[in-house]
Amino acid sequence: MTAILGGGISGMSAAYYCLENPRIGSVILLEASNRLGGWIKSTSSPTGVIFEEGPRTVRPSGPAGENTLKLVDSLNLNGKVIPINSSHPAANNRLIYANKKLHLLPNSITSLFKVNTPFERRLISVLWNEITASKVQKEDESIYSFVERRLGKDVADYLISPMICGICAGDAKKISVNFLLKPAFELEQKYGSIVKGMLLHKFKSPKSSQKTENANNESTLVHRAKKENWAVWGLQGGLQQLPIALENKLLSNNQVKINKNSVCEQITFKPGQVEMLINGKTEKYCKLISSLSAKYLAPLLEKQHPQLSRELLAIPSTTVAVVNLHYEGKVLPLEAFGFLVPPKENSPILGVIFDSCVFKNSNTVLTVMMGGAWFDKFFADNNTDEHFLSVAVNETKKILGIKDDPIEHNVSVLKDCIPQYVVGHVQRLKRIENYISAHKLPMALCGSSYHGVGINDVILSAKQAVSQIA
């Protein structure tokens, strides 16, 4: 029997893909808490409004995005999909809050030839800046450093830094460019310039001859997403409908057993088997797929594999406070996806999502994200729900000009919810993978600690982990 540790979206996906692989027999999914779904959690308020404590939308593009759509298709969730196409205000309008004002980010080719605040130059000049910047041969560096020297400090401060806050609640001055912006970094390292590299790569790349074949193999949702030009998509009833459907699928198959409230205390590898101490009792399995975050997997391996444990423990994570606010009527200055706050503004909030613009609602629903890489700085001395709510309400009133108080709210603190891919992450992953291979450990890793924090990333990592362990 193969054991899967962790019942978040990656662990559940791993169990699903195990069922599709004839080389894997029965599976047991072990979850420490009393619920499945991990950080995906949709809560219905007393008035019926959906509050998302975690992710709410998913991108459809690329192999990982298409893989998720195929999974959704196979779970018969097509009828619940809410597409947001590229012409929707939530797809077009993205804001940043800088210098005590909201600024609409450039969203068209023509806007690149204008001076858009808070920038003090035409963004088309960024191209010249990039082409003339000197190449620096490096194994890795921070995203901020890379962007500052190739595109300019203003782009690093007002575009990339808030973007990193939105992606992983992280500090762009610490996050690895060789991981999170790998294609751009590789173009510079190979061609000396991102722009030159893109142009040369485009002319050198042969035309794809598999487009027709791929189109014929597409799922219904993948085809729809391309045809209708989706920017993102969500689900009626909240994104938690995805883990709910996965759980139902798994429970309907007698090859899968799900054990909740099962706390793993130690992992020991022995010839031909994996021994795990679960709730004080030793259980034996032939293979292991761990979807636990690196921080929580590390101590389980420390006694037998201290070197591997240290590498895992060196992948940090950050805590985010999430406050959902429900206001009566329309109280926003414009329709948009929301706004992000550059770290240089020294604000306790990372950004605000305009949920009621993304998914139409007659009232106003917002999600305020706070802390992240700066959680201790702003909330170490006061981390009560009352304080989080007060900060969220006061900051949104100040920035968005909202005068009324919310009629409903929801406060949640997601401890260590987002891994931080700091400089050297790619090299660390190689060392972890090489260690597991060299010691012939019957274990595969998946989840957000390793190859990406997005829903698409962790689902694809689960699929790859199953292939690897099989």
Side-chain angles (χ1 to χ4, degrees), residues 9 41 116 150 152 155 157 224 238 324 330 354 402 417 466:
I9 192 66
K41 189 175 182 182
N116 301 274
R150 295 222 64 85
V155 177
D157 281 333
R224 266 193 66 195
N324 308 103
K330 301 288 187 181
F354 300 172
I402 299 174
C417 62
V466 170

Side-chain angles (χ1 to χ4, degrees), residues 58-119:
V58 186
R59 293 186 178 276
S61 56
E66 292 183 10
N67 179 68
T68 301
L69 286 175
K70 289 175 184 175
L71 174 63
V72 171
D73 210 344
S74 70
L75 295 172
N76 298 316
L77 284 171
N78 303 41
K80 291 188 177 183
V81 171
I82 305 173
I84 309 297
N85 64 35
S86 58
S87 62
H88 193 283
N92 274 327
N93 299 334
R94 308 249 171 175
L95 306 161
I96 61 167
Y97 178 72
N99 304 321
K100 299 184 179 180
K101 289 175 61 178
L102 282 173
H103 306 267
L104 183 64
L105 290 173
N107 57 11
S108 66
I109 295 295
T110 56
S111 63
L112 297 178
F113 294 88
K114 302 174 183 176
V115 176
N116 301 274
T117 59
F119 304 98

Side-chain angles (χ1 to χ4, degrees), residues 216-227:
N216 292 334
N217 293 329
E218 285 176 356
S219 73
T220 303
L221 281 181
V222 172
H223 180 71
R224 266 193 66 195
K226 291 180 178 179
K227 184 180 179 181

Side-chain angles (χ1 to χ4, degrees), residues 18 154 179 385 415:
C18 280
D154 55 348
F179 183 82
D385 285 359
K415 184 172 172 54

Side-chain angles (χ1 to χ4, degrees), residues 223-254:
H223 180 71
R224 266 193 66 195
K226 291 180 178 179
K227 184 180 179 181
E228 298 171 13
N229 203 15
W230 294 2
V232 294
W233 57 269
L235 291 171
Q236 294 174 15
L239 205 58
Q240 192 172 330
Q241 295 302 312
L242 177 55
I244 288 173
L246 267 172
E247 183 174 7
N248 291 336
K249 179 76 172 180
L250 297 176
L251 288 173
S252 69
N253 194 297
N254 56 17

